[in-house]
Amino acid sequence: MSAEPRLFGKILIANRGEIALRILRACKELGIATVAVHSTADDDAMHVRLADESVCIGPPPARESYLNIPQLLAACEITGADAVHPGYGFLAENARFAEVLAAHNVAFIGPSPEHIRMMGDKIEAKRTAKRLGIPVVPGSEGSVKDEAEAAKIAETFGYPVLIKATAGGGGRGMKVARSAADVPIAFATARAEARAAFGDDSVYIEKYLANPRHIEFQVMGDGMGTAIHLGERDCSLQRRHQKILEESPSPAMTPELREKMGGIVAKAMAEIKYAGAGTVEFLYDNNAFYFIEMNTRLQVEHPVTEAVTDIDLVNEQIRVASGLGLSVKQKDVRFVGHAIECRINAEDPRTFAASPGRVTNFHQPGGLGVRVDSAIFQGYSIPPYYDSLIGKLIVHGRTRQECLMRLTRALDEFVVDGIRSTIPLFRELVKDPDIVGGRYDIHWLEKRLTPH
């Protein structure tokens, strides 16, 4: 007889910063021992201080530490960790990493390598979405070999079109062609960027939607044919395709539309027997949804979903990976109130230039409905080697108006001295009539930041 599923005994957290601390907290609440891995630049990091054990896995460059699979595997063997949580970024969507762990009897807290690969290739992801009944943006069936083919395909659904890298993300390898004359330079530039960023210069083409919103649905699957959705997040406030602020529910959504689209994505995830947390991302334009990609991991903005559903997503990830399944059914999911997250980056609020350095004063806001996910502290030196995200401010209120008022108050309390941060930008944004009224799309912030 096979043993009954049980929670892991020890989880190695293959990440750093606020997400490592977030995972560590979930493990402690479940009574699971933790292992923090870190580069030499993160010797005094908060997750290293709070973990049960820590292992230094290399020098500051990520490729020599946080992306170093042999070192991470060695850390698992040294500490006896029986599972790895990758967080987001780094190796979170690396199918080979998941396979290597499995070959050494270490569980990967995430979906199967098959699903990571399926959704990591944007062309394959689009084909899969189409097959599963998820609406997609009109575009090429596969990669486009040259600019002549790109121009021919563009004529079938009209300009403007978007030429996109099939691999990667973050806005790299994406160029807009507004007419046939723009195709050669857009095609060449997208390919060059894709090759430099991802080592793969293949691109595809799709219809460019002028002023859409970016709306994504949170899904959780048990890997055995059951999946649920936890509503949507509106991530339309972006700069260079990087999310700045996220909220749930979306100001553009109705309960009926949420139930319809959530049902479609949950059914699709159940059909492929998806395991763990995932996010199905859409562009929403003229009352229509168009699939753009799926992230097979936890998202930076997962706390807004946790706030409106009161469901711990990391807890659910660990349960699913251990074989215990989901703790909730779709009928148990309730959406209460409104939540907004601001990404606090160590960047100049005007130029967005990175601003690493020592934090001389740090005071985070508190009070009812306020949550701060951050791993920095007074005296902490932010290293220059990694992502500039230093924290997330999440607020929850009974209504969107109450949420915005609470966010305004919390931002006024937030103090991070010694470096520049994006806090001043958010203090301005929460007072803007368009933000207050929920009238913004994915291009809104770029237009606002561009001097006239």
Side-chain angles (χ1 to χ4, degrees), residues 193-427:
E193 285 187 8
R195 187 185 307 111
F198 315 118
D200 179 355
D201 68 357
S202 58
V203 296
Y204 68 106
I205 187 169
E206 66 183 24
K207 178 69 177 171
Y208 178 70
L209 304 174
N211 296 296
R213 297 183 84 106
H214 183 134
I215 295 177
E216 60 189 30
F217 278 82
Q218 177 70 58
V219 292
M220 293 289 308
D222 67 359
M224 296 174 280
T226 297
I228 63 173
H229 78 88
L230 299 172
E232 85 285 358
R233 296 183 290 257
D234 196 319
C235 307
S236 303
L237 209 64
Q238 302 178 6
R239 175 184 174 270
R240 294 183 179 173
H241 304 286
Q242 297 291 325
K243 299 165 186 173
I244 300 291
L245 176 149
E246 303 96 359
E247 61 180 310
S248 182
S250 167
M253 291 285 281
T254 64
E256 295 76 20
L257 194 51
R258 177 177 306 110
E259 186 176 350
K260 175 188 173 185
M261 289 304 301
I264 289 172
V265 296
K267 181 175 180 290
M269 293 305 105
E271 188 173 323
I272 63 172
K273 295 185 178 179
Y274 186 82
T279 303
V280 184
E281 304 199 358
F282 294 92
L283 292 179
Y284 178 64
D285 190 42
N286 291 323
N287 297 315
F289 279 91
Y290 302 99
F291 171 85
I292 46 174
E293 65 181 346
M294 181 177 178
N295 287 308
T296 53
R297 55 169 168 80
L298 197 67
Q299 297 274 89
V300 176
E301 58 274 18
H302 77 274
V304 294
T305 295
E306 294 182 328
V308 296
T309 62
D310 198 29
I311 294 171
D312 185 321
L313 297 187
V314 180
N315 184 312
E316 295 299 318
Q317 283 186 296
I318 295 170
R319 282 182 56 90
V320 167
S322 66
L324 292 173
L326 299 170
S327 70
V328 292
K329 295 181 172 62
Q330 191 68 61
K331 63 182 178 61
D332 302 320
V333 179
R334 297 284 181 271
F335 302 102
V336 179
H338 200 96
I340 299 176
E341 174 184 290
C342 295
R343 299 193 187 192
I344 310 300
N345 294 337
E347 296 174 348
D348 185 285
R350 296 292 172 203
T351 66
F352 296 94
S355 180
R358 186 171 179 273
V359 178
T360 54
N361 288 300
F362 180 71
H363 175 78
Q364 65 183 46
L368 182 65
V370 176
R371 166 180 168 181
V372 176
D373 282 15
S374 178
I376 70 170
F377 49 87
Q378 194 160 310
Y380 176 69
S381 289
I382 298 166
Y385 311 104
Y386 312 112
D387 188 274
S388 61
L389 180 71
I390 56 171
K392 302 178 308 200
L393 170 60
I394 307 101
V395 297
H396 182 249
R398 291 170 294 183
T399 65
R400 188 170 186 271
Q401 177 59 27
E402 182 177 84
C403 192
L404 283 165
M405 293 301 293
R406 188 161 284 162
L407 178 58
T408 302
R409 185 265 295 172
L411 285 164
D412 284 343
E413 291 180 22
F414 216 146
V415 177
V416 184
D417 289 338
I419 60 159
R420 292 181 295 278
S421 81
T422 50
I423 293 172
L425 171 65
F426 288 117
R427 287 176 180 157

